[in-house]
Amino acid sequence: MLFFKNKIRLRFAPSPTGFLHLGSLRAALFTYLLAKSRKGRFILRIEDTDQKREVSGATDNLIKVLRTVGLEFDEGPHCGGKYGPYIQTGRLGIYKQQADRLLQTGQAYRCFCSPERLTKMRAAQEADKQPPRYDRLCRELSVAESDRRAAAGDSFVIRQKMPTNGEVTVFDELRGNIKFSAADLDDQVLMKSDGIPTYQLANVIDDHLMKISHVTRGDEWLPSFPKNILLYRAFAWTAPKFIHLPLILNKEGGKLSKRQGDVFVEDYLAKGYLPEALINFSALLGWHPKNDKEIWSLKELKKEFSLSGLGASPAIFDAEKLDYYNGYYIRQKSLSALADLCRPYLEAAGRPVKEKDKLEKYVSLAQDRMKKLIDIVELTDFIFALPDYNSELLGWKTLTPESAKNNLQILKTELEKITAEKWNKDYLEKTVLAWIKNRQEKNGDHLWPMRVALTGLKNSPGPFETAAALGREESLKRIAKAIKI
Ligand code: GLU
């Protein structure tokens, strides 16, 4: 029983503000892996207290996307659990109760300052080149006065009483001790006048009540860290362990932003990045396995991932590396599986291919060169419409376009002898190569013009697999066309 009691519990706590950013996928993945590597629980909590930023459908979408890449939650708004509700707006009563507790113990106070006063105060601080912060006017109000004004219906927020001097030392699992000067800390708002808690309050209460053992979050939250710890102390609660995940930067060292390309997982999935590739790639954004192994399945990661491989220095997002992984996983697929994955992309391009074996032949022409599934459309373009080309393209080395056409003519006669039943890559290859050998001619003098005639392209898959994919009739038609070009 003890074993279960000691299970570690980690949460992914996104705000439902739209699509899933690559950084959030990485945070969710690391959280999942740290939990699963120690047989712990992976929990979803939706932090929706900032209703202005909320996008409807974002939570369902996020659950769907994470499920697509293989991450399933053990607890969450969609699957329940012992520590719910798992959506913050469903927990407003809990926050109120806990905030009142802080008022009673004197760790927090009501602030009745009007927005006008605060605006004026900030403008004066700005003019004085002082950092913006609350001047603590209401901290001096007596409890009786504060209670009286609240009872009279005056609008107020609840602020945390921060220490006014000394240092706050906090411990991050990746960075060790970090010291903050108390003088730099603002008496932050914990509860807004409409009864909605701020991130600081809700996050700490939820992590405590949901028995979260390790908080994993992006290191943009480091400035909040001392405030969180002080809040745990104010509640007299033991804080969980904190792991601030390193930033993800682009290759130039800047923030990952929409300007340099896609930043949302949905965009990558839509273009045909495979879940396996997204997982493998994201796992190595800040995790450094002991061996230099590059290829990792989710199953292996669940076993091997550990805190000791994490560092605090920023991870670099290299889109080419992602393409490399995706190409790798595309090549690992069986033709049949890849054909099924490619089918919708061809359909969306107005090129449905009903017969599975035909589709597999098309896909086999592209598999080696695909970086993402959507590439199937471009790479098989020549199958659906022979590109216009010039007879110059038929020539090869010393072979003139005219001689190439003559070669095509005799090759065509030879190919016509092959029946539709025997028209497959292996048979074509065996027959044509034997025929060329028998004529004591160079392979290229026949195969180059044949390939160009079939594809209309300078670079393309080989002539035999292309002929097999096109079928007998279409291949002969294209060769006849080349002869007349
Ligand atoms: N709601 C916060 C966010 O979306 C969560 C940060 C945390 O994990 O504590 O970034």
Side-chain angles (χ1 to χ4, degrees), residues 271-290:
K271 284 188 182 154
Y273 283 85
L274 301 175
E276 300 92 307
L278 287 165
I279 290 292
N280 194 151
F281 173 76
S282 305
L284 298 176
L285 285 174
W287 179 61
H288 312 281
K290 274 196 234 72

Side-chain angles (χ1 to χ4, degrees), residues 11-15 45 47 199 203 207 215-217 220-221:
R11 88 306 193 268
F12 176 52
S15 301
R45 181 174 72 232
E47 303 211 325
Y199 164 77
N203 194 267
D207 283 342
V215 169
T216 41
R217 60 182 185 184
E220 69 272 20
W221 292 104

Side-chain angles (χ1 to χ4, degrees), residues 168-217:
V168 187
T169 305
V170 293
F171 185 81
D172 174 77
E173 298 295 313
L174 305 182
R175 293 163 184 76
N177 280 331
I178 313 174
K179 284 191 167 62
F180 291 85
S181 160
D184 291 337
L185 300 173
D186 197 3
D187 277 3
Q188 62 178 339
V189 174
L190 298 176
M191 185 76 100
K192 292 180 267 182
S193 56
D194 55 4
I196 304 284
T198 57
Y199 164 77
Q200 306 292 347
L201 181 70
N203 194 267
V204 163
I205 292 175
D206 290 346
D207 283 342
H208 175 74
L209 296 181
M210 292 182 180
K211 298 206 169 13
I212 299 302
S213 59
H214 298 68
V215 169
T216 41
R217 60 182 185 184

Side-chain angles (χ1 to χ4, degrees), residues 122-411:
R122 267 186 220 116
Q125 284 167 341
E126 211 172 293
D128 257 9
K129 304 225 178 326
Q130 296 293 315
R133 88 172 43 146
Y134 179 56
D135 62 5
R136 296 179 167 150
L137 181 73
C138 293
R139 190 162 164 158
E140 308 308 324
L141 286 180
S142 68
V143 173
E145 174 68 356
S146 172
D147 287 350
R148 188 194 61 74
R149 289 184 66 177
D154 285 7
S155 170
F156 64 85
V157 300
I158 297 177
R159 291 184 185 272
Q160 186 179 357
K161 258 188 207 165
M162 289 299 193
T164 48
N165 54 43
E167 267 179 348
V168 187
T169 305
V170 293
F171 185 81
D172 174 77
E173 298 295 313
L174 305 182
R175 293 163 184 76
N177 280 331
I178 313 174
K179 284 191 167 62
F180 291 85
S181 160
D184 291 337
L185 300 173
D186 197 3
D187 277 3
Q188 62 178 339
V189 174
L190 298 176
M191 185 76 100
K192 292 180 267 182
S193 56
D194 55 4
I196 304 284
T198 57
Y199 164 77
Q200 306 292 347
L201 181 70
N203 194 267
V204 163
I205 292 175
D206 290 346
D207 283 342
H208 175 74
L209 296 181
M210 292 182 180
K211 298 206 169 13
I212 299 302
S213 59
H214 298 68
V215 169
T216 41
R217 60 182 185 184
D219 67 4
E220 69 272 20
W221 292 104
L222 271 176
S224 291
F225 194 11
K227 303 182 199 172
N228 301 140
I229 295 298
L230 287 169
L231 201 48
Y232 279 103
R233 286 186 201 155
F235 278 119
W237 290 338
T238 308
K241 291 194 160 74
F242 278 80
I243 302 157
H244 287 90
L245 303 171
L247 270 179
I248 305 177
L249 300 177
N250 63 32
K251 270 174 132 179
E252 287 73 47
K255 234 180 109 179
L256 256 199
S257 81
K258 196 88 191 114
R259 251 173 296 136
Q260 298 109 27
D262 292 324
V263 292
F264 296 118
V265 181
E266 290 85 343
D267 294 330
Y268 284 94
L269 288 172
K271 284 188 182 154
Y273 283 85
L274 301 175
E276 300 92 307
L278 287 165
I279 290 292
N280 194 151
F281 173 76
S282 305
L284 298 176
L285 285 174
W287 179 61
H288 312 281
K290 274 196 234 72
N291 49 14
D292 281 335
K293 189 165 129 78
E294 284 203 312
I295 300 296
W296 289 90
S297 68
L298 188 59
K299 204 167 149 209
E300 289 171 317
L301 287 165
K302 275 161 77 171
K303 271 203 237 126
E304 303 283 327
F305 196 84
S306 79
L307 202 55
S308 61
L310 293 184
S313 46
I316 305 296
F317 178 87
D318 179 353
E320 282 166 27
K321 192 92 203 189
L322 177 55
D323 282 352
Y324 159 81
Y325 280 118
N326 209 44
Y328 170 82
Y329 285 105
I330 285 177
R331 289 191 297 282
Q332 297 299 305
K333 294 272 176 215
S334 68
L335 266 187
S336 163
L338 190 57
D340 290 339
L341 290 168
C342 288
R343 187 188 293 282
Y345 292 91
L346 287 168
E347 274 171 7
R351 294 169 178 174
V353 185
K354 282 209 196 71
E355 306 86 341
K356 179 82 183 266
D357 61 331
K358 197 165 172 190
L359 184 59
E360 285 184 13
K361 282 187 191 133
Y362 292 1
V363 166
S364 74
L365 295 180
Q367 186 167 21
D368 283 352
R369 286 180 299 152
M370 284 168 74
K371 289 191 175 134
K372 45 198 182 300
L373 299 176
I374 202 170
D375 292 347
I376 190 67
V377 176
E378 215 183 295
L379 290 171
T380 56
D381 229 9
F382 70 90
I383 294 181
F384 296 88
L386 181 67
D388 282 336
Y389 64 96
N390 184 305
S391 68
E392 290 300 306
L393 202 58
L394 293 167
W396 182 72
K397 294 194 176 168
T398 56
L399 183 79
T400 63
E402 273 323 297
S403 324
K405 288 186 196 178
N406 288 336
N407 283 358
L408 279 174
Q409 185 62 58
I410 45 174
L411 174 68

